[in-house]
Amino acid sequence: MGFIQFEKPAQGEEIAIMTTNHGTLKIRLFEEQAPKTVENFKTHVKNGYYNGLIFHRIIKDFMLQGGDPTGTGMGGESIWGKAFPDEFSEEVLNFRGALSMANSGPNTNGSQFFIVQKDSVEEQMLGQLKGASFPDEAVEAYKEHGGTPWLDFRHSVFGQVFEGMDIVDAIANVKTGVQDKPVEDVVIKKLEIVAYEG
């Protein structure tokens, strides 16, 4: 069994299209594995909440973080107006390309998310995963795809970029300043939910 994360969406499945000032990403959403998280994200998207926001924190060989209306990393809230619980599944992990919730500790999800950009996992880390009785299949997938396994079961994975990882890599290479904030704004011009047409 391979991870569903690396499968293309089915015809007609609802996906997210993120248009940035660097290019466009297509994201598959994992409604079954993270129903509340996906509901929160989709509702925000449909309400235009994310349009015009910046990626306020970018760390090359790690991740891009956005979804905060204040652009500081301190703001944003869920569609319910309060933090909501984490949703973890062994079926979706923080592989390269994962769309995950940013948080400030357990069960503190609001509107902020990040996209995992790291394209490799060090041998030592892979060894630790095996030692921690991580499933062999997950270790193999991390070896093949890269990612951030230390974030698993700490940050809810609810989507996967399946088109546009070259754009994610380009964004990861922008010049950043204080607190990993890009010197020139990286903007989410538009986020929309559409039916996948293949």
Side-chain angles (χ1 to χ4, degrees):
M1 159 205 152
F3 281 87
I4 58 164
Q5 246 168 298
F6 306 115
E7 294 168 10
K8 280 269 168 81
Q11 194 79 12
E13 188 178 318
E14 284 198 329
I15 62 162
I17 297 184
M18 181 188 290
T19 308
T20 75
N21 59 341
H22 287 254
T24 301
L25 316 177
K26 291 185 179 175
I27 303 165
R28 187 176 186 198
L29 300 170
F30 303 125
E31 208 142 358
E32 202 176 299
Q33 289 75 17
K36 256 187 123 57
T37 311
V38 170
E39 182 191 353
N40 179 63
F41 182 75
K42 274 188 177 178
T43 306
H44 269 331
V45 170
K46 288 171 180 171
N47 292 338
Y49 186 90
Y50 292 120
N51 296 346
L53 302 192
I54 61 168
F55 279 101
H56 61 270
R57 185 167 169 244
I58 294 178
I59 303 175
K60 184 173 157 47
D61 296 326
F62 182 29
M63 58 94 219
L64 331 175
Q65 187 171 336
D68 173 7
T70 70
T72 62
M74 306 299 283
E77 62 176 21
S78 76
I79 57 172
W80 301 284
K82 58 180 196 283
F84 66 95
D86 297 319
E87 293 179 302
F88 300 135
S89 164
E90 290 182 6
E91 294 178 353
V92 289
L93 300 172
N94 283 281
F95 299 121
R96 170 174 161 81
L99 176 67
S100 245
M101 287 303 283
N103 62 38
S104 53
N107 305 310
T108 57
N109 299 294
S111 66
Q112 290 188 46
F113 56 79
F114 61 91
I115 296 169
V116 177
Q117 186 258 335
K118 190 166 168 46
D119 65 5
S120 62
V121 177
E122 292 73 15
E123 283 296 329
Q124 186 186 355
M125 171 70 71
L126 292 169
Q128 285 171 356
L129 294 179
K130 282 184 176 161
S133 64
F134 232 67
D136 287 346
E137 191 183 17
V139 178
E140 283 308 309
Y142 270 118
K143 188 175 182 175
E144 184 184 343
H145 299 279
T148 53
W150 61 92
L151 300 181
D152 288 339
F153 310 107
R154 291 200 171 102
H155 295 269
S156 306
V157 176
F158 65 101
Q160 177 77 18
V161 176
F162 66 90
E163 209 173 288
M165 279 307 291
D166 53 332
I167 306 298
V168 172
D169 288 334
I171 291 172
N173 278 298
V174 302
K175 190 170 183 230
T176 53
V178 181
Q179 292 184 309
D180 307 304
K181 190 172 186 174
V183 174
E184 289 177 19
D185 283 351
V186 176
V187 184
I188 298 169
K189 290 162 109 178
K190 189 167 65 170
L191 239 171
E192 52 200 325
I193 302 291
V194 302
Y196 181 62
E197 292 172 358

